[in-house]
PDB file of all heavy atoms in Angstrom:
ATOM      1  N   GLY A  53     103.505  99.402  86.356  1.00  0.00           N
ATOM      2  CA  GLY A  53     102.423  98.574  86.884  1.00  0.00           C
ATOM      3  C   GLY A  53     101.551  99.245  87.924  1.00  0.00           C
ATOM      4  O   GLY A  53     100.547  98.688  88.349  1.00  0.00           O
ATOM      5  N   VAL A  56      96.919 104.590  89.089  1.00  0.00           N
ATOM      6  CA  VAL A  56      96.776 105.949  89.604  1.00  0.00           C
ATOM      7  C   VAL A  56      95.505 106.564  89.062  1.00  0.00           C
ATOM      8  O   VAL A  56      94.964 106.142  88.039  1.00  0.00           O
ATOM      9  CB  VAL A  56      97.996 106.828  89.243  1.00  0.00           C
ATOM     10  CG1 VAL A  56      99.255 106.315  89.903  1.00  0.00           C
ATOM     11  CG2 VAL A  56      98.186 106.910  87.747  1.00  0.00           C
ATOM     12  N   LEU A  72      78.391  99.154  86.570  1.00  0.00           N
ATOM     13  CA  LEU A  72      77.411  98.495  87.413  1.00  0.00           C
ATOM     14  C   LEU A  72      76.118  98.505  86.605  1.00  0.00           C
ATOM     15  O   LEU A  72      75.552  99.564  86.340  1.00  0.00           O
ATOM     16  CB  LEU A  72      77.240  99.234  88.744  1.00  0.00           C
ATOM     17  CG  LEU A  72      76.250  98.628  89.714  1.00  0.00           C
ATOM     18  CD1 LEU A  72      76.643  97.190  90.071  1.00  0.00           C
ATOM     19  CD2 LEU A  72      76.151  99.479  90.969  1.00  0.00           C
ATOM     20  N   ALA A  75      69.145  95.566  85.984  1.00  0.00           N
ATOM     21  CA  ALA A  75      68.081  94.976  85.173  1.00  0.00           C
ATOM     22  C   ALA A  75      67.055  96.047  84.813  1.00  0.00           C
ATOM     23  O   ALA A  75      66.895  97.049  85.527  1.00  0.00           O
ATOM     24  CB  ALA A  75      67.401  93.848  85.939  1.00  0.00           C
ATOM     25  N   LEU A  76      66.361  95.829  83.712  1.00  0.00           N
ATOM     26  CA  LEU A  76      65.342  96.793  83.277  1.00  0.00           C
ATOM     27  C   LEU A  76      64.126  96.807  84.198  1.00  0.00           C
ATOM     28  O   LEU A  76      63.538  97.852  84.455  1.00  0.00           O
ATOM     29  CB  LEU A  76      64.879  96.463  81.853  1.00  0.00           C
ATOM     30  CG  LEU A  76      65.888  96.750  80.741  1.00  0.00           C
ATOM     31  CD1 LEU A  76      65.352  96.234  79.410  1.00  0.00           C
ATOM     32  CD2 LEU A  76      66.164  98.239  80.665  1.00  0.00           C
ATOM     33  N   PRO A  78      62.123  95.369  87.856  1.00  0.00           N
ATOM     34  CA  PRO A  78      62.332  94.793  89.186  1.00  0.00           C
ATOM     35  C   PRO A  78      61.821  93.348  89.239  1.00  0.00           C
ATOM     36  O   PRO A  78      60.945  92.964  88.469  1.00  0.00           O
ATOM     37  CB  PRO A  78      61.517  95.700  90.108  1.00  0.00           C
ATOM     38  CG  PRO A  78      60.506  96.328  89.227  1.00  0.00           C
ATOM     39  CD  PRO A  78      61.113  96.422  87.862  1.00  0.00           C
ATOM     40  N   THR A  86      73.400  94.247  98.346  1.00  0.00           N
ATOM     41  CA  THR A  86      74.847  94.174  98.133  1.00  0.00           C
ATOM     42  C   THR A  86      75.451  95.566  97.976  1.00  0.00           C
ATOM     43  O   THR A  86      74.842  96.458  97.389  1.00  0.00           O
ATOM     44  CB  THR A  86      75.135  93.351  96.859  1.00  0.00           C
ATOM     45  OG1 THR A  86      74.517  92.080  96.987  1.00  0.00           O
ATOM     46  CG2 THR A  86      76.618  93.191  96.625  1.00  0.00           C
ATOM     47  N   SER A  87      76.654  95.755  98.487  1.00  0.00           N
ATOM     48  CA  SER A  87      77.451  96.951  98.209  1.00  0.00           C
ATOM     49  C   SER A  87      78.436  96.594  97.106  1.00  0.00           C
ATOM     50  O   SER A  87      79.024  95.517  97.127  1.00  0.00           O
ATOM     51  CB  SER A  87      78.232  97.388  99.448  1.00  0.00           C
ATOM     52  OG  SER A  87      77.360  97.878 100.418  1.00  0.00           O
ATOM     53  N   ALA A  91      86.375 100.715  91.460  1.00  0.00           N
ATOM     54  CA  ALA A  91      87.572 101.547  91.657  1.00  0.00           C
ATOM     55  C   ALA A  91      87.627 101.968  93.126  1.00  0.00           C
ATOM     56  O   ALA A  91      87.567 101.110  93.998  1.00  0.00           O
ATOM     57  CB  ALA A  91      87.587 102.725  90.706  1.00  0.00           C
ATOM     58  N   ASP A  92      87.679 103.257  93.404  1.00  0.00           N
ATOM     59  CA  ASP A  92      87.770 103.703  94.797  1.00  0.00           C
ATOM     60  C   ASP A  92      86.430 104.178  95.351  1.00  0.00           C
ATOM     61  O   ASP A  92      86.370 104.850  96.361  1.00  0.00           O
ATOM     62  CB  ASP A  92      88.817 104.802  94.932  1.00  0.00           C
ATOM     63  CG  ASP A  92      88.482 106.036  94.112  1.00  0.00           C
ATOM     64  OD1 ASP A  92      87.568 105.959  93.266  1.00  0.00           O
ATOM     65  OD2 ASP A  92      89.138 107.071  94.302  1.00  0.00           O
ATOM     66  N   ARG A 104      71.536  93.376  89.849  1.00  0.00           N
ATOM     67  CA  ARG A 104      72.669  94.127  89.316  1.00  0.00           C
ATOM     68  C   ARG A 104      73.846  93.188  89.126  1.00  0.00           C
ATOM     69  O   ARG A 104      73.953  92.185  89.810  1.00  0.00           O
ATOM     70  CB  ARG A 104      73.072  95.253  90.265  1.00  0.00           C
ATOM     71  CG  ARG A 104      72.055  96.357  90.344  1.00  0.00           C
ATOM     72  CD  ARG A 104      72.439  97.393  91.389  1.00  0.00           C
ATOM     73  NE  ARG A 104      71.504  98.489  91.389  1.00  0.00           N
ATOM     74  CZ  ARG A 104      70.322  98.468  91.996  1.00  0.00           C
ATOM     75  NH1 ARG A 104      69.936  97.405  92.662  1.00  0.00           N
ATOM     76  NH2 ARG A 104      69.519  99.510  91.940  1.00  0.00           N
ATOM     77  N   ASN A 115      99.851 102.299  70.882  1.00  0.00           N
ATOM     78  CA  ASN A 115     100.404 103.521  70.295  1.00  0.00           C
ATOM     79  C   ASN A 115     100.420 104.672  71.289  1.00  0.00           C
ATOM     80  O   ASN A 115     100.153 105.814  70.937  1.00  0.00           O
ATOM     81  CB  ASN A 115      99.618 103.919  69.042  1.00  0.00           C
ATOM     82  CG  ASN A 115      99.663 102.844  67.982  1.00  0.00           C
ATOM     83  OD1 ASN A 115     100.661 102.159  67.824  1.00  0.00           O
ATOM     84  ND2 ASN A 115      98.574 102.671  67.272  1.00  0.00           N
TER      85      ASN A 115
END
Side-chain angles (χ1 to χ4, degrees):
V56 296
L72 181 59
L76 289 174
T86 304
S87 291
D92 61 348
R104 291 175 176 81
N115 300 325

